[in-house]
Amino acid sequence: MEISFGIEFLANEPAEKLAELVKFSEENGLKYAWITDHYNNRDAYAVLTHIGANTSKINIGPGVTNPYTRTPPQLASAIATVNEVSGGRAIFGIGPGDKVTFDGLGIEWVKPLSMVRETVEIVRKLLTGKKISYDGKVCKIKSAKLDYQKGAEIPVYIGAQGPKMLKLAGEIAEGALVNGSHPRDFETAVKLLKEGCEGAGKNFNDFDVAAYTSFSIADTKEEAEKTAKPVTAFIVAGSPDTVFEKHGIPIEDVNKVRDGFKESFGAAIKAVTPEMLDCFSICGSPDECIEQIDSLFKAGVTQMITGSPLGPEKSKSIELIGKEVIPHFVK
Ligand code: F42
């Protein structure tokens, strides 16, 4: 798999603004744009449709959608629409979704692993254009058929962190979107993806291992860090202790961030240490980012997804990625 660069945008801005940013990313050599899917933000597929109509080269898709807030046939139709409007540039990022959100919505998180596996199967079958029925552990379909985009081939990427989900991604998908910004995050992940892939008789060299990172780039390290710290504070506060054990971050330091939130957001940000920034973000000047990205590629990553917050000024960061970072890796 050739290495490539992708970019993530939260659908927390109007579609018009997001389309401008994706267009600018396309002009700056990014190959993939992933739009997050959370029901309380702009609808990911409506945004993707607008983006598809306003770009011409970049591959676009949800990163990631889930099979609980939309049914599998609805997902098949949504991604087929994105594929149609973009002239075949759709990519289908799917994951089990966010349990906390579902609890709030009264949706039960029933068998997420089976749900993702079966949804991918159903979406692929529906995209053939044939009438299908399906009798799975969690998904049952008596008779369904898509009336357009028959035979569309849309690459599937699974958002995966847990060992079983990673193996499943290797087994059934074309790629995986793994949340992680440090080579240590990919030691076990790559092994599991490879196991899943090879267990299914697929060639792991064709599999796209995408690092979904928290990324911040600016002319100087200080500027980049200032923007990365609030996001890092949230990541630290929301991660289980096992994550800090893995990275060797003292729990006393973590508790200072957690306690900081009880006082004020500013106090939490102030408690973020350089080690936390190193483990939970790619952050710095272009040269510093290049060094950190290089270590991810060496750890087996094949797609580097520059995610939120990007930097103090999004357009400027996209330009730095396009003019200084990508040319270092992609000739
Ligand atoms: N979630 C969103 O809602 N929106 C987004 O935009 C989004 C983006 C995103 C990008 C990259 C990424 O990696 C994740 C992203 N997520 C997003 C989060 C994603 O949806 C998941 O919440 C997250 O990836 C965590 O998933 P996980 O891989 O840890 O899987 C969970 C389900 C898990 O616990 N997995 C276990 C494992 O080992 O992989 C397995 C659990 C298991 O075995 N369950 C069984 C089953 O059948 O499912 C039994 C359960 C039962 O009910 O009996």
Side-chain angles (χ1 to χ4, degrees), residues 239-251:
S239 299
D241 288 356
T242 47
V243 170
F244 306 110
E245 282 158 24
K246 180 174 82 177
H247 287 292
I249 294 179
I251 288 298

Side-chain angles (χ1 to χ4, degrees), residues 36-38 63-64 66 95-98 109-114 159-165 177-179 212:
T36 58
D37 186 5
H38 295 104
V64 298
N66 75 77
D98 173 19
W109 214 33
V110 182
K111 293 198 174 297
L113 205 65
S114 310
Q161 327 301 325
K164 290 185 187 161
M165 198 63 77
L177 304 170
V178 183
N179 266 322
Y212 219 83

Side-chain angles (χ1 to χ4, degrees), residues 59 139 192 215 245 264 301:
N59 299 300
C139 299
L192 289 162
F215 188 86
E245 282 158 24
S264 68
V301 166

